[in-house]
Amino acid sequence: MLQFLASFYFNLSGLILCPLLGSIILSVIPDSRIRLIRGIGLCTSLITFLYSLFFWIQFDNSTAKFQFVETIRWLPYPNIHFYIGIDGISLFFVVLTTFLIPICILVGWSSIKSYKREYMIAFLICESFMIAVFCMLDLLLFYVFFESVLIPMLGPIPYSPIIIGVWGSRQRKIQAAYQFFLYTLLGSVFMLLAILFILSQTGSTDLQILLTTEFSERRQILLWIAFFASFSVKVPMIPFHIWLPEAHVEAPTAGSVILAGILLKLGTYGFLRFSIPMFPEATLYFTPFVYALSVIAIIYTSLTTIRQIDLKKIIAYSSVAHMNFVTIGMFSLNIQGIEGSILLMLSHGLVSSALFLCVGALYDRHKTRLVKYYGGLVSTMPMFSTIFLFFTLANMSLPGTSSFIGEFLILVGAFQRNSLVATLAALGMILGAAYSLWLYNRVIFGNFKPKFLQKFSDLNRREVLIFLPFVVGIIWMGVYPEVFLECMHTSIGNLVQHGKFD
Amino acid sequence: MIYGFTGVTNFEELAKIFTGYKITLFGAQSSGIFMGILFIVVGFLFKITAVPFHMWAPDVYEGSPTLVTSFFSIAPKISILANMVRVFIYSFYDPTWQQLFFFCSIASMILGALAAMAQNKVKRLLTYSSIGHVGYLFIGFSCGTIEGIQSLLIGVFIYVLMTINVFAIVLALRQNRFKYIADLGALAKTNPILAITLSITMFSYAGIPPLAGFCSKFYLFFAALGCGAYLLALIGVVTSVISCFYYIRFVKIMYFDTPKTWILYKPMDREKSLLLAITLFFITFFFLYPSPFFLVTHQMALSLCL
């Protein structure tokens, strides 16, 4: 039966179009038929998820070439086309994206009171843009989709407000929106200039052609800086990280999940796919710089986290720390480091999203995110405490969870390059344990605070079922990561060899 | 004056006379020709509201009835840009003018971006945003390459569509004396489709992918980089981001602020809504299939210059 399915013609463009079709269907349904809207939204996202799983099954591990490649003509004269394909590096990001979107839709099941239809449409459009980002092998169109994710996240604000608007929570939401938008845009326009420069000098933006062109070292350095401007804002690296805690705090739960789960990966994916292979000499030139920034970021954000009082900000800052771990791993430029960074990215996608879901569950019940109002939740919400414990331990990189594998591989890779950086990064791990455990302690154990909270309810069935896939994913990646790593080996080996980094 | 010094006003004849004829400030045998051309340039720049000849624009745009404003923010630009392309690329092709156009373009972009931030009347803000846009179009124009002309043509077309869209919206709200930007407040709750149309148009003005405004801007910057005008592209890009600030402010006001008096909007007539729908459709979906349009403008640019 699998043979029969394998003979089907699996199309990447179909994967990108599937959520768009769902959103078009949704746009003609009136706002009053809520159950139908929710049903269609959920079904579309689940179908997309299953569709992406087919790509994983069909994926051929033995070659580093791009698979399921398709070309759709866009602009013939400057040679820019929709050139789509997957290789070992991007495969899992696509799967992660399609995995997280149904979760987000489920999260908004009962907590979104108004503009339900626009919420769904925005998520589905956002999903298709994000899948397009990870599949796109043409530089300019990658940039286009990289930036177009901004609009559904911010865009028609009340309609899709994944970040702000009717579903956001405070007056500072506008400030957060501005910051998010302008930071990202300013960084990216420099990348646009660099891409256009490459286009005018080499005549093409096709990645496979650009991988074989040699830029002179000075030019590589300039182009690398321009690309860095854009990617480092998304990662986020110090000192461009300020938008992240603000954006997370103001966003509704599902928005935070998407933001932490996928948008942060766009920056590091860009580094991995474009900066490192196309500009190898510049990468080597800038590696100490990136190391310095990342180590400062890890230690600084971990220390800052300890002092935070807002639950979401704590997790947001810990996201920053994890993503900077990822950049240390990537710029160690050996197979262990890069594999570790991808695995940590995937695991961070699961763990941070799950943590934001936990916080979202608390927020839904008590409408506050300040830690001081919570305490002693273990007696009233035991299921929640167990699940929250699991994800806190995963955030801390406990062995047995996926983030441990990721961080371990990164440290192995980084140690080979520069032992001081690896030591300092490991310090970051210790600090991570500090704030995670302290947060858990304050919220779950200890005494009740009956002055603040009087009513309690444990997780309902929908919420437990949302958390279950995350638990399964984290344990699977932590106990037997080879399933994931085997798809990446060839592609990453090719990358390292291509830049002559070994 | 040109006629006086050369004896012809035919474009082709002028082109033949001026090939190989270096017109510099000090060297020309006939500085009269230089002055003549300079006067022509300045005249054109006045009409197109480029900096530094843009002084009349904000007041006039604001004071005229909106119908008139929408006409003369669109039509003269098209006609004069076409005319300039004819005159300066075909007849008077010379690097001296290029520097002047560079300067005008940079100044227009910077002024358009910065001045619009302080405005709180709608039409003045649209004026400054159109001045800024003329600056971008001038980028395409001032590098004298085929790609430059092509990008200019694409930019003009998309600018026309966006401006039609914006002015149609302003006209639609005109019955209620729509003067200040703050009057737009809470448009999202009273008229959500109009609000979303205006937001998409504003995002397109700002040059955010994947809307049509981004396509025009990227091609303009591509032309600039292709002919080596790096400073132009850099300033263009930075002013793009600066102007994005006040475009988003539109969106913010519509969705977040409450006006002092809630204005009830009457529904607009059928032709306007059709016009808005067509231009909005084009702005949103231009990105998916731009290639026939690019091919046509490429041919147009080639025929104009060769």
Side-chain angles (χ1 to χ4, degrees):
Chain A
M1 156 107 154
L2 213 55
Q3 300 302 93
F4 169 66
L5 284 177
S7 66
F8 261 71
Y9 182 47
F10 283 118
N11 223 333
L12 262 184
S13 51
L15 182 64
I16 299 179
L17 284 179
C18 188
L20 279 179
L21 275 178
S23 63
I24 293 177
I25 297 179
L26 272 181
S27 62
V28 300
I29 299 179
D31 214 4
S32 53
R33 308 191 51 184
I34 296 194
R35 292 185 64 174
L36 185 62
I37 293 176
R38 291 200 291 215
I40 291 185
L42 190 62
C43 282
T44 317
S45 48
L46 283 177
I47 291 177
T48 319
F49 178 53
L50 290 175
Y51 204 162
S52 67
L53 284 183
F54 282 136
F55 287 110
W56 188 6
I57 298 175
Q58 294 291 324
F59 191 74
D60 181 6
N61 292 337
S62 57
T63 151
K65 290 203 281 213
F66 292 109
Q67 305 178 26
F68 311 110
V69 171
E70 280 173 52
T71 314
I72 305 175
R73 284 164 54 89
W74 193 58
L75 277 188
Y77 181 67
N79 251 334
I80 310 175
H81 302 292
F82 277 107
Y83 187 45
I84 318 180
I86 297 189
D87 77 341
I89 301 178
S90 40
L91 172 70
F92 287 112
F93 291 116
V94 173
V95 176
L96 181 70
T97 311
T98 53
F99 172 70
L100 283 178
I101 297 280
I103 306 277
C104 289
I105 293 185
L106 277 176
V107 164
W109 204 252
S110 46
S111 54
I112 306 292
K113 300 289 184 298
S114 51
Y115 296 120
K116 278 206 90 47
R117 187 185 60 175
E118 284 79 12
Y119 181 83
M120 293 285 170
I121 292 181
F123 264 115
L124 291 176
I125 294 182
C126 204
E127 172 178 17
S128 95
F129 284 161
M130 289 188 287
I131 300 178
V133 170
F134 288 124
C135 301
M136 199 60 76
L137 296 177
D138 177 284
L139 207 50
L140 184 71
L141 288 172
F142 166 80
Y143 172 80
V144 169
F145 284 111
F146 192 72
E147 292 305 305
S148 15
V149 179
L150 283 181
I151 294 195
M153 289 295 280
L154 159 73
I157 297 186
Y159 285 3
S160 86
I162 305 203
I163 284 256
I164 315 213
V166 181
W167 297 303
S169 12
R170 292 189 306 191
Q171 275 311 102
R172 291 177 53 184
K173 55 194 172 188
I174 304 174
Q175 189 80 356
Y178 269 125
Q179 272 188 344
F180 172 53
F181 208 80
L182 289 174
Y183 260 93
T184 325
L185 202 63
L186 186 58
S188 331
V189 284
F190 292 117
M191 182 171 158
L192 177 66
L193 274 186
I195 294 179
L196 292 176
F197 181 72
I198 294 179
L199 177 60
S200 60
Q201 299 290 321
T202 58
S204 135
T205 51
D206 185 347
L207 183 65
Q208 290 189 318
I209 297 181
L210 288 175
L211 282 178
T212 54
T213 51
E214 292 202 357
F215 298 96
S216 72
E217 173 157 350
R218 244 181 18 148
R219 189 169 281 187
Q220 272 193 24
I221 290 184
L222 274 176
L223 292 173
W224 195 95
I225 295 181
F227 275 55
F228 178 76
S230 162
F231 294 138
S232 64
V233 172
K234 279 237 158 69
V235 163
M237 301 184 104
I238 305 255
F240 316 116
H241 69 293
I242 309 181
W243 62 272
L244 186 67
E246 301 288 324
H248 269 303
V249 164
E250 308 304 337
T253 314
S256 288
V257 168
I258 292 285
L259 189 56
I262 304 172
L263 282 193
L264 261 49
K265 316 296 179 289
L266 290 178
T268 45
Y269 171 76
F271 272 130
L272 203 54
R273 172 68 86 214
F274 296 103
S275 277
I276 298 183
M278 288 202 315
F279 312 127
E281 277 94 29
T283 307
L284 282 173
Y285 183 84
F286 278 108
T287 304
F289 172 64
V290 173
Y291 275 165
L293 278 184
S294 305
V295 166
I296 295 177
I298 294 179
I299 299 193
Y300 168 70
T301 45
S302 304
L303 288 173
T304 318
T305 317
I306 301 185
R307 288 227 43 183
Q308 295 300 325
I309 53 172
D310 184 332
L311 276 173
K312 266 195 167 167
K313 261 198 173 148
I314 294 180
I315 306 176
Y317 273 112
S318 94
S319 272
V320 176
H322 281 291
M323 294 313 288
N324 282 282
F325 238 107
V326 168
T327 49
I328 288 187
M330 267 192 330
F331 281 88
S332 55
L333 302 171
N334 45 29
I335 300 192
Q336 293 98 329
I338 300 186
E339 274 190 1
S341 70
I342 296 186
L343 207 54
L344 186 60
M345 275 197 256
L346 296 174
S347 128
H348 172 263
L350 292 178
V351 170
S352 275
S353 311
L355 281 173
F356 277 115
L357 288 173
C358 291
V359 173
L362 279 181
Y363 182 76
D364 280 342
R365 284 162 177 71
H366 306 296
K367 296 292 178 246
T368 173
R369 278 186 314 264
L370 296 182
V371 179
K372 70 179 209 174
Y373 294 141
Y374 291 110
L377 285 181
V378 68
S379 12
T380 47
M381 302 171 72
M383 263 198 295
F384 175 77
S385 315
T386 326
I387 293 184
F388 193 34
L389 174 68
F390 179 74
F391 291 124
T392 308
L393 291 176
N395 197 17
M396 233 173 63
S397 317
L398 192 77
T401 60
S402 47
S403 27
F404 171 70
I405 311 277
E407 292 196 5
F408 180 69
L409 280 174
I410 289 178
L411 286 175
V412 164
F415 202 81
Q416 293 175 7
R417 289 282 158 185
N418 186 340
S419 33
L420 177 63
V421 163
T423 322
L424 290 173
L427 257 183
M429 264 173 94
I430 303 179
L431 291 173
Y435 60 72
S436 301
L437 285 179
W438 195 37
L439 170 69
Y440 187 74
N441 208 1
R442 282 183 292 176
V443 167
I444 302 283
F445 296 132
N447 293 324
F448 257 153
K449 308 228 169 120
K451 269 194 301 192
F452 301 123
L453 303 173
Q454 271 92 31
K455 299 192 187 126
F456 303 91
S457 69
D458 207 350
L459 297 179
N460 57 28
R461 176 179 56 183
R462 168 182 63 93
E463 288 169 343
V464 172
L465 287 178
I466 292 179
F467 285 122
L468 221 45
F470 285 101
V471 172
V472 168
I474 294 177
I475 296 187
W476 187 12
M477 273 208 273
V479 169
Y480 195 52
E482 186 59 21
V483 171
F484 298 89
L485 289 178
E486 69 186 353
C487 301
M488 301 188 225
H489 282 316
T490 348
S491 304
I492 298 182
N494 184 38
L495 177 72
V496 169
Q497 247 188 347
H498 165 85
K500 301 185 196 58
F501 292 129
D502 48 4
Chain B
M1 275 175 80
I2 303 279
Y3 181 64
F5 281 99
T6 59
V8 296
T9 50
N10 190 342
F11 278 141
E12 289 221 11
E13 301 285 325
L14 282 173
K16 284 188 213 143
I17 293 179
F18 285 114
T19 41
Y21 191 91
K22 276 210 324 228
I23 307 180
T24 62
L25 197 50
F26 301 110
Q29 261 116 338
S30 167
S31 56
I33 295 191
F34 176 73
M35 294 305 289
I37 299 180
L38 187 61
F39 287 158
I40 293 183
V41 173
V42 171
F44 280 150
L45 288 178
F46 256 112
K47 292 218 73 161
I48 213 172
T49 70
V51 173
F53 311 112
H54 69 290
M55 318 296 182
W56 62 277
D59 300 312
V60 174
Y61 276 44
E62 186 199 348
S64 347
T66 319
L67 283 166
V68 176
T69 312
S70 57
F71 175 70
F72 71 73
S73 77
I74 302 176
K77 305 252 179 359
I78 311 178
S79 52
I80 296 202
L81 277 171
N83 206 356
M84 284 173 95
V85 170
R86 270 254 154 211
V87 169
F88 289 105
I89 308 285
Y90 195 54
S91 310
F92 298 140
Y93 194 75
D94 197 277
T96 324
W97 310 120
Q98 203 179 25
Q99 291 175 0
L100 180 63
F101 290 133
F102 268 12
F103 168 72
C104 282
S105 155
I106 293 181
S108 298
M109 289 191 286
I110 296 182
L111 182 87
L114 294 177
M117 292 230 249
Q119 304 301 326
N120 39 21
K121 293 196 193 138
V122 174
K123 292 213 285 218
R124 279 187 95 97
L125 187 126
L126 289 177
T127 315
Y128 281 114
S129 99
S130 86
I131 293 179
H133 234 271
V134 163
Y136 294 118
L137 296 176
F138 258 47
I139 298 181
F141 179 61
S142 50
C143 32
T145 59
I146 306 271
E147 262 128 29
I149 309 298
Q150 185 185 358
S151 62
L152 174 72
L153 292 169
I154 296 174
V156 163
F157 186 70
I158 294 183
Y159 166 76
V160 163
L161 282 171
M162 292 196 294
T163 318
I164 290 178
N165 205 337
V166 165
F167 276 107
I169 295 179
V170 173
L171 279 169
L173 302 172
R174 180 173 62 127
Q175 289 118 331
N176 310 88
R177 272 170 295 125
F178 176 39
K179 207 164 113 190
Y180 292 93
I181 298 185
D183 292 342
L184 268 180
L187 188 65
K189 298 217 176 55
T190 52
N191 199 341
I193 306 274
L194 200 61
I196 210 175
T197 311
L198 191 57
S199 345
I200 291 189
T201 314
M202 285 297 137
F203 281 131
S204 177
Y205 258 117
I208 297 186
L211 302 170
F214 169 74
C215 286
S216 81
K217 278 204 176 141
F218 114 75
Y219 211 69
L220 283 162
F221 294 141
F222 170 57
L225 284 176
C227 85
Y230 300 124
L231 182 65
L232 217 54
L234 194 64
I235 294 188
V237 157
V238 172
T239 51
S240 223
V241 177
I242 298 180
S243 62
C244 188
F245 174 74
Y246 57 81
Y247 289 127
I248 306 186
R249 201 172 50 172
F250 255 99
V251 182
K252 172 197 85 138
I253 293 179
M254 278 195 292
Y255 287 102
F256 284 121
D257 295 353
T258 48
K260 287 202 197 63
T261 59
W262 284 78
I263 306 181
L264 193 63
Y265 296 109
K266 300 197 196 82
M268 62 177 112
D269 46 334
R270 188 124 153 261
E271 293 83 20
K272 264 205 284 280
S273 66
L274 210 57
L275 196 62
L276 275 176
I278 295 178
T279 49
L280 183 70
F281 177 77
F282 192 81
I283 291 179
T284 328
F285 294 114
F286 175 72
F287 170 72
L288 289 176
Y289 193 44
S291 65
F293 190 63
F294 273 66
L295 282 172
V296 165
T297 48
H298 189 58
Q299 294 297 328
M300 282 165 70
L302 279 173
S303 70
L304 261 174
C305 307
L306 294 180

